[in-house]
Amino acid sequence: MRGRVTFLHHPNDAFDPKQLQLQNDTLRVKALKAAREDKLTLGLYELPQEVSNSNPQKATPSIIYYQTLPSLTDLATYLHQKICPEVDESCTFRTASLKSADYLDIDYDTISQSLVLSAFWHAPPLTETWDERIDNSQASFKVEVGVLANEKPTQPEELSLAGFLAVVGEDSKPTSPTDGCALYTYLTLPSSLFLDKYQLSSPNLLTSKNLHSIRSLAGETDLEAPIWAVSKWGSALLLELAPPPSTPGPHSTGGVNDPGSSWHADVPLHLRYLPPSQEGDASISVPWPIVFWACPSDEGTKMNTNPFDRVNLGYDGLFEPRAMFYHLQPASGGESLLEELQVPVLDLEGSKMKWVRSGTVTMMVLGFLWVCLKLLTVNWGKLGKFRKERGQAEEERLRMLRLLRKLM
């Protein structure tokens, strides 16, 4: 047996996650203005004997049973007596609330052999907001609770919802369906630019620039090679960003351009040595970065596959096959997504070039003289040492000759 309670509120109605208080096996809902749907799923072995013995496995889609119920009071009483345990007050309250439901659907799934009861309320029966406690005191009874709102879908034909989910008795706090999503940027760098991966290994630098970590770096990564020594086209960088906690997620009803949601991330890049020019600058083309959210899909989610899709052609191959992507649209105004940059290079005709030439010749001459001076200093020292040692040897020879003459 498992239950699911879904609250659907209007996007304009303010909702604070503090309105959901999750403690142990109890969830308290406070002052929530929303429509509500309760869904209860029962296995065949959990049904009353008179229902399970009716052999519903033989039912087919062509056989449909209708029964007019002027009131749901008798059905609510029957469910309370046959399904709810005596000590489960939450189950008793929920079955009693069926009396005020707008509609009730009962469906049997022959594949999973389970009976599904769905009840809907467009608003609370007695008050304007929902104030109640959802309890899960039964260890075998799983209750999922969701507070959702409509959001702008990624495709016109889709219906998209976002909000908070919780499993009573398992989760310690309500979580957003976007938990686990991460914000990435993918940069295609020409050979004239490169990234220093060692520079981005500093946690302090990453934090100061709203960056998280490098996920992938492929291509030309030589830090010292000039442009004429680079044989590859450039490099590709996948970088995980570190947005502030208040940044809207991929499923939020707001946008990245909403007031108060603006922030920036800095990616430090370096320029290679480029060939000199007559003007003293050069033009390079840099593609705009691609920014997107990547979210893992829920376990068991069915993903439609288009046989004509070509996959693993870019950064999608760096994620799991079931990852879902939500792209942020660049504010290009319909113009090209290629940025033309003017960068400084050596000016062959400028006045600075004359200083460079004369300075280079001067330094070469000074360096040559310095080397010669060092060589002369070393040789002069060796020559003096040699003369000193030769003089000492000559004095020793004369002393020995005088000594021999005296002995003779």
Side-chain angles (χ1 to χ4, degrees), residues 279-337:
E279 296 79 12
D281 57 9
S283 177
I284 61 174
S285 299
V286 183
W288 282 28
I290 301 173
V291 183
F292 59 92
W293 291 91
C295 303
S297 59
D298 295 334
E299 190 70 23
T301 302
K302 295 182 179 180
M303 304 284 288
N304 295 327
T305 302
N306 189 334
F308 301 101
D309 282 346
R310 293 187 298 171
V311 297
N312 298 331
L313 298 180
Y315 56 84
D316 59 321
L318 302 174
F319 296 87
E320 61 177 7
R322 299 166 61 85
M324 303 178 65
F325 302 97
Y326 302 87
H327 293 81
L328 278 67
Q329 297 298 324
S332 62
E335 300 178 355
S336 173
L337 299 181

Side-chain angles (χ1 to χ4, degrees), residues 343-402:
V343 297
V345 296
L346 181 61
D347 186 0
L348 294 177
E349 299 297 334
S351 59
K352 296 181 179 180
M353 185 60 186
K354 299 178 180 179
W355 289 102
V356 171
R357 291 174 179 174
S358 59
T360 302
V361 173
T362 302
M363 295 304 297
M364 291 179 63
V365 172
L366 292 176
F368 175 76
L369 295 177
W370 181 81
V371 172
C372 293
L373 179 61
K374 288 295 182 181
L375 291 176
L376 291 174
T377 302
V378 173
N379 291 333
W380 185 264
K382 290 183 177 179
L383 181 60
K385 184 178 181 181
F386 174 75
R387 289 177 177 177
K388 183 179 179 180
E389 292 178 351
R390 185 177 179 181
Q392 292 177 352
E394 185 65 22
E395 291 179 359
E396 182 66 20
R397 186 179 68 84
L398 294 175
R399 190 179 66 83
M400 292 297 296
L401 289 175
R402 287 194 296 267

Side-chain angles (χ1 to χ4, degrees), residues 5 7 19-32 36 38 87-95 97 129-138 141 143 145 168:
V5 181
F7 295 96
Q19 293 176 248
L20 301 179
Q21 297 181 359
L22 191 60
Q23 297 179 350
N24 297 329
D25 56 358
T26 302
L27 176 65
R28 294 184 179 274
V29 181
K30 295 185 177 181
L32 179 58
R36 172 175 175 169
D38 283 20
V87 296
D88 194 344
E89 297 181 359
S90 177
C91 182
T92 302
F93 175 79
R94 294 176 64 185
T95 54
S97 63
T129 59
W130 295 96
D131 291 273
E132 64 175 88
R133 185 185 72 175
I134 301 176
D135 184 52
N136 183 23
S137 57
Q138 302 297 317
F141 188 68
V143 179
V145 180
V168 183

Side-chain angles (χ1 to χ4, degrees), residues 56-66 107-111:
Q57 295 93 325
K58 295 182 180 180
T60 63
S62 60
I63 301 177
I64 302 175
Y65 175 74
Y66 292 95
D107 183 29
Y108 181 78
D109 188 348
T110 57
I111 298 178

